[in-house]
Amino acid sequence: MRASSSSAPLLRLTGIRKAFGEAQILQGIDLDVRQGEVVALVGSSGSGKTTLLRCVNLLEMPSSGHIELEGKTIFHREDGKELCRLKRAAIDRIRSRAGMVFQHFNLFPHMSVLGNVMEGPRTVLREADATNRARAMDLLDKVGMAGFADRMPDRLSGGQKQRVSIARALNMQPTLMLFDEPTSALDPELVGEVLKTMMALAREGMTMLVVTHELGFALEAADRLIFLDAGTVAADGPPGRC
C-alpha cells in the first residue's frame, strides 16, 4: 500500500448527509483518506458517488456533517446550523488543494491547451507567468500532451482533452486529486490513454479519490474500494475483499 502510516488522514468525512428536497442522497457517510492512498468509489447509478465527491471540495454543500482537509475543518454543519462558514476566497483555496477532473473535461474553448493549464494558478493563485508556464509545460509533457500546447480544445480527441484536464488540475499543485468518472464520456478506444495517465499518478503516490465504473482500474490501482448503496457505505476494504 502506498498510503502514509501517519495517524492523521489527509481527508476526513464524518456524518456527511446531503438532501435535494425530499430526496436523501447521502445518509451519514464516514470516510478517511490517507496521504498517498488511492480510493475508488464504486456503486450503481444514483448511489451517491458523484454527490459525495462534489461535497469534498464544496461544489455541493452537505446538509450536515464535518469535513477536514489537511487537518483543518473546512465544513461543519449540525441541525441546520453552519458552524464553519467559509468565504469564497477560502473555498477557492480548498479547491486548489483538491483538484477535480470531471466527466466532460470543462476546458475553456477560447483558450489553447497551455492557456487552459495555466489559467488556475494565474487567476486563483496570482502566480507569475514564467513559473506557471514552466510547470504547465512539464505537466503537459507528463501526460503526453506537450506537443499540443498551442492547439485549441476543439481540435483534440476526448482522451486528449481529459489528459489536458488532468494536467490543469495538477498545475494547482493539489494534495488530493478527485476524479468523477473520468472515462465515462470517452469512446472505448480512448479510455486506455486516460487510465494509463491515472495509473502513473497512482504509482507516484498521488492521493486520489476516484468515482469509476472501470473495475479493472479499481482492482489494479486502488488501495481501497468503497461500495456505496443508496447513500451509505455498503463495503470498505482492499480490492478483492469487498
Side-chain angles (χ1 to χ4, degrees):
M1 177 176 291
R2 294 171 292 268
S4 168
S5 59
S6 172
S7 58
L10 178 69
L11 172 69
R12 169 162 283 172
L13 308 179
T14 306
I16 298 299
R17 295 180 178 274
K18 178 63 180 179
F20 294 102
E22 297 298 318
Q24 299 292 325
I25 307 302
L26 301 176
Q27 306 199 44
I29 300 291
D30 296 331
L31 174 63
D32 285 355
V33 179
R34 300 191 179 279
Q35 181 72 44
E37 196 172 24
V38 177
V39 178
L41 295 173
V42 298
S44 62
S45 178
S47 61
K49 305 183 301 297
T50 291
T51 299
L52 180 61
L53 200 71
R54 290 173 65 87
C55 284
V56 169
N57 68 352
L58 305 181
L59 286 172
E60 296 287 354
M61 292 294 178
S63 302
S64 64
H66 185 90
I67 304 175
E68 292 179 15
L69 182 63
E70 299 180 287
K72 297 179 181 179
T73 296
I74 65 171
F75 180 88
H76 190 171
R77 178 183 287 166
E78 293 180 7
D79 300 324
K81 297 180 181 179
E82 285 194 24
L83 304 180
C84 175
R85 182 183 294 275
L86 298 177
K87 295 182 179 180
R88 178 56 186 264
I91 291 175
D92 285 343
R93 285 194 295 272
I94 290 163
R95 290 174 182 160
S96 75
R97 305 303 289 160
M100 190 154 180
V101 177
F102 299 88
Q103 295 181 36
H104 297 290
F105 326 128
N106 291 356
L107 297 179
F108 296 112
H110 62 289
M111 293 183 181
S112 68
V113 163
L114 180 59
N116 269 276
V117 176
M118 292 179 63
E119 182 65 9
R122 175 186 287 139
T123 59
V124 177
L125 305 180
R126 306 297 182 187
E127 186 175 38
D129 273 357
T131 303
N132 185 5
R133 180 183 297 271
R135 191 177 60 250
M137 286 303 301
D138 285 344
L139 289 168
L140 285 171
D141 184 59
K142 184 186 187 77
V143 301
M145 292 297 294
F148 298 82
D150 295 327
R151 189 166 295 191
M152 302 302 286
D154 64 356
R155 296 182 58 208
L156 301 178
S157 70
Q160 290 170 333
K161 290 177 183 177
Q162 196 60 289
R163 283 186 283 155
V164 172
S165 296
I166 292 172
R168 178 178 62 180
L170 289 171
N171 200 29
M172 295 294 287
Q173 303 180 79
T175 57
L176 170 67
M177 285 286 284
L178 309 173
F179 292 86
D180 183 15
E181 299 210 36
T183 61
S184 65
L186 302 180
D187 293 332
E189 65 270 19
L190 301 177
V191 168
E193 62 189 65
V194 174
L195 293 181
K196 181 179 178 181
T197 299
M198 294 173 64
M199 289 288 292
L201 290 176
R203 287 192 297 269
E204 292 172 5
M206 172 59 73
T207 310
M208 298 163 63
L209 186 57
V210 184
V211 171
T212 184
H213 61 276
E214 298 287 346
L215 290 181
F217 167 82
L219 291 171
E220 185 174 355
D223 298 300
R224 288 163 58 205
L225 297 183
I226 308 292
F227 283 90
L228 293 188
D229 180 42
T232 65
V233 176
D236 177 353
R241 296 187 185 179
C242 288

